[in-house]
Amino acid sequence: MKKKQQPGGGAGDCPAPRPPAAPPAGGGPGQGGGWKRRRRFSLLPLLSVRDYGFCMAALLLFCLGSLFYQLNGGPPHFLLDLRHYLGNSTYLDDHGPPPQKVLPFPSQVVYNRVGKCGSRTVVLLLRILSEKHGFNLVTSDIHNKTRLTKNEQMELIKNISTAEQPYLFTRHVHFLNFSRFGGDQPVYINIIRDPVNRFLSNYFFRRFGDWRGEQNHMIRTPSMRQEERYLDINVCILENYPECSNPRLFYIIPYFCGQHPRCREPGEWALERAKLNVNENFLLVGILEELEDVLLLLERFLPHYFKDVLSIYKNPEHRKLGNLTVTVKKTVPSPEAIQILYQRMRYEYEFYYYVKEQFHLLKRKFGLKSHIRKPRPRPEFFIPSPLETEEPIDDEEEDDEKWLEDIYKRRSCGCNLRQGAFKYCPLASECYLCSVSRTTDRSSVSKNEKETAR
């Protein structure tokens, strides 16, 4: 009785250290039961001071990260990339479409095509290739504005950069520096031709159009007066009409020089800058006189865009469509007029021969040989002539959408034999009209002039 009363009656009188003897009464296996109960209620004996410091540091970093998230409007980019990689379903809801995949080939190509350098033939090929290979062919509704303001450059670069990849953008526009406005610099391609031949093609195209319709020229230039439309090419050159003098003749180089105002001034500065851009930003600049080799190199460099382009180009059905875009009523200027053009276009010719040498070097690297006639010797500039630097006037460019629709509607083509005879140039895919009603004595035209006409 005493032993039973002592624990019950003296519970409040006994010192505090004695209660630990109670666990064996309800704990079962003595010390083992007491140890398990302490582990269940407290983790303090298991954590060291270093562990507590680590936990507090992690908590501090979490708080700072949350504050950084709120102050900057979102999480760091690596967290977004991680969420996207893990397939978080809220990624699209929070941040819009995911970044585009990095393709194993150039997925951004720009063809800032030079006017009257076979561009309509190439665009027609691109229409076919885009349907065949599934790339995004991006065109523009603006066809006669090659020089842009800073805001227009930013807007155009933004529109191009946001296009679905892989894309190929094409437009008559001077070189655009994407990196200047924070964009990814695309791959550039282009084609040029002999400067005098390009000028003559444009001169007669603006007046008389091509084989797509007899009234094509009237639709293109309805405001042109009759005396201007039928102005003799020799008179235009020899009497220094604005259309046949600088700066209108300084046409090819600005497409490679860029949007700087000095790029429109005939001179060494624009020439050297154009060469620099060709070396640094253009994958290929071809020569229209060797178009088949240009297409072959494009097929090797950009197979996802230009695979089978040469076979399509050589297809007779495509040749019929291409012949509709050939300029008509071309005539040959006199040797004196041609020599004056050479003088006025000396910077254009220096650039042309530079590009031609680079193109031939590239062909040799790929084992290609030129199977064309021997080129004419380079023009000699005997008489220095001053170059005007007044603001040039844009050449009117063709509405690509319209002429493509016309081409697809018409399945037959050919030169009108009742109007005259014609012949084909196999490399440039061009036919030239030898007008029967022409009063000039063709027998007096020298062999060199005929070479110039071709």
Side-chain angles (χ1 to χ4, degrees):
M1 291 297 295
K2 289 182 180 180
K3 290 183 180 180
K4 291 182 180 180
Q5 289 177 357
Q6 284 178 357
D13 300 331
C14 293
R18 294 186 63 89
Q31 294 180 355
W35 181 83
K36 289 182 181 179
R37 185 173 299 174
R38 286 195 302 270
R39 182 183 179 188
R40 191 183 310 160
F41 285 98
S42 177
L43 295 175
L44 296 179
L46 301 179
L47 299 177
S48 64
V49 175
R50 184 179 62 181
D51 296 333
Y52 278 117
F54 177 80
C55 293
M56 295 303 296
L59 181 61
L60 178 61
L61 290 177
F62 177 80
C63 294
L64 292 177
S66 300
L67 180 62
F68 179 81
Y69 179 92
Q70 297 179 23
L71 292 177
N72 291 274
H77 291 292
F78 76 93
L79 291 180
L80 294 178
D81 296 338
L82 181 61
R83 288 179 62 187
H84 180 52
Y85 177 78
L86 296 176
N88 195 319
S89 61
T90 63
Y91 183 87
L92 293 178
D93 299 333
D94 296 344
H95 304 284
Q100 297 174 343
K101 297 180 179 179
V102 178
L103 300 175
F105 58 90
S107 59
Q108 304 174 78
V109 181
V110 173
Y111 172 33
N112 63 323
R113 58 188 190 271
V114 181
K116 305 310 298 175
C117 291
S119 60
R120 290 181 295 162
T121 298
V122 177
V123 170
L124 181 58
L125 290 170
L126 288 173
R127 294 280 182 184
I128 301 173
L129 293 170
S130 64
E131 296 179 0
K132 183 175 182 179
H133 301 315
F135 63 86
N136 183 19
L137 180 62
V138 184
T139 58
S140 175
D141 296 330
I142 303 174
H143 309 286
N144 59 353
K145 190 175 180 61
T146 58
R147 303 189 301 270
L148 309 177
T149 64
K150 183 177 180 180
N151 291 335
E152 289 173 338
Q153 294 179 54
M154 295 175 62
E155 184 67 21
L156 179 58
I157 289 175
K158 179 181 178 182
N159 293 338
I160 297 174
S161 301
T162 55
E164 181 182 357
Q165 298 183 15
Y167 69 75
L168 191 150
F169 175 80
T170 177
R171 172 181 164 178
H172 294 290
V173 64
H174 295 169
F175 174 79
L176 295 169
N177 189 348
F178 282 62
S179 58
R180 176 188 175 191
F181 300 98
D184 295 331
Q185 191 73 5
V187 170
Y188 272 87
I189 59 173
N190 216 323
I191 301 174
I192 64 174
R193 71 188 293 186
D194 181 276
V196 168
N197 287 342
R198 193 218 68 81
F199 162 74
L200 295 177
S201 179
N202 182 72
Y203 182 89
F204 293 105
F205 179 70
R206 294 184 67 246
R207 286 162 170 77
F208 307 111
D210 50 33
W211 288 109
R212 286 171 290 157
E214 296 180 359
Q215 300 300 321
N216 178 264
H217 60 286
M218 299 298 297
I219 297 174
R220 277 184 47 82
T221 54
S223 61
M224 182 179 289
R225 296 173 298 178
Q226 290 300 307
E227 56 268 24
E228 181 183 359
R229 189 179 303 279
Y230 293 96
L231 176 65
D232 184 83
I233 182 66
N234 293 300
V235 174
C236 181
I237 297 171
L238 296 177
E239 297 187 9
N240 202 25
Y241 278 66
E243 186 176 0
C244 300
S245 59
N246 282 302
R248 293 287 295 275
L249 296 178
F250 193 71
Y251 184 86
I252 297 177
I253 289 179
Y255 276 87
F256 300 88
C257 178
Q259 299 290 336
H260 194 282
R262 293 186 65 183
C263 289
R264 304 190 290 270
E265 299 179 0
E268 292 290 340
W269 190 91
L271 172 64
E272 294 304 320
R273 182 160 179 167
K275 291 181 180 179
L276 181 64
N277 281 332
V278 167
N279 295 332
E280 294 184 351
N281 296 291
F282 282 81
L283 177 66
L284 176 67
V285 181
I287 303 298
L288 182 61
E289 293 83 355
E290 304 172 39
L291 181 57
E292 291 190 6
D293 289 337
V294 175
L295 298 178
L296 181 60
L297 288 178
L298 285 174
E299 184 174 356
R300 294 193 179 186
F301 289 157
L302 300 170
H304 293 80
Y305 296 91
F306 290 95
K307 185 178 180 181
D308 300 326
V309 64
L310 197 56
S311 60
I312 296 174
Y313 172 72
K314 291 182 177 181
N315 188 289
E317 292 297 323
H318 173 76
R319 289 289 184 125
K320 291 181 180 180
L321 298 178
N323 289 336
L324 290 176
T325 65
V326 175
T327 303
V328 300
K329 295 188 179 180
K330 289 183 181 179
T331 59
V332 183
S334 66
E336 181 184 3
I338 292 177
Q339 179 62 28
I340 291 178
L341 285 179
Y342 284 153
Q343 296 170 10
R344 295 173 182 172
M345 305 175 76
R346 60 179 179 269
Y347 292 118
E348 293 275 280
Y349 267 100
E350 185 173 346
F351 179 76
Y352 170 74
Y353 284 113
Y354 174 81
V355 170
K356 192 172 184 178
E357 290 172 358
Q358 297 297 317
F359 180 68
H360 287 171
L361 177 62
L362 194 61
K363 286 174 57 177
R364 288 195 296 269
K365 289 182 178 180
F366 280 85
L368 300 179
K369 296 182 180 180
S370 299
H371 300 284
I372 60 175
R373 65 182 182 274
K374 185 177 180 180
R376 304 190 309 272
R378 296 190 182 187
E380 299 292 340
F381 306 114
F382 297 107
I383 307 174
S385 60
L387 296 176
E388 303 174 13
T389 57
E390 60 189 69
E391 186 70 12
I393 302 175
D394 274 328
D395 288 340
E396 298 178 10
E397 302 294 352
E398 179 71 10
D399 187 333
D400 297 306
E401 300 294 336
K402 185 177 182 307
W403 73 258
L404 280 173
E405 291 177 2
D406 295 339
I407 284 179
Y408 281 120
K409 290 179 182 178
R410 299 179 59 179
R411 305 303 299 175
S412 62
C413 72
C415 295
N416 191 340
L417 295 178
R418 289 177 298 179
Q419 295 180 358
F422 67 94
K423 61 180 178 179
Y424 288 100
C425 177
L427 289 179
S429 299
E430 295 184 347
C431 62
Y432 295 90
L433 180 68
C434 303
S435 178
V436 175
S437 60
R438 185 181 175 190
T439 58
T440 304
D441 185 7
R442 297 291 296 177
S443 62
S444 63
V445 180
S446 65
K447 182 178 179 181
N448 290 336
E449 292 176 338
K450 292 181 180 180
E451 289 292 324
T452 303
R454 289 195 292 266

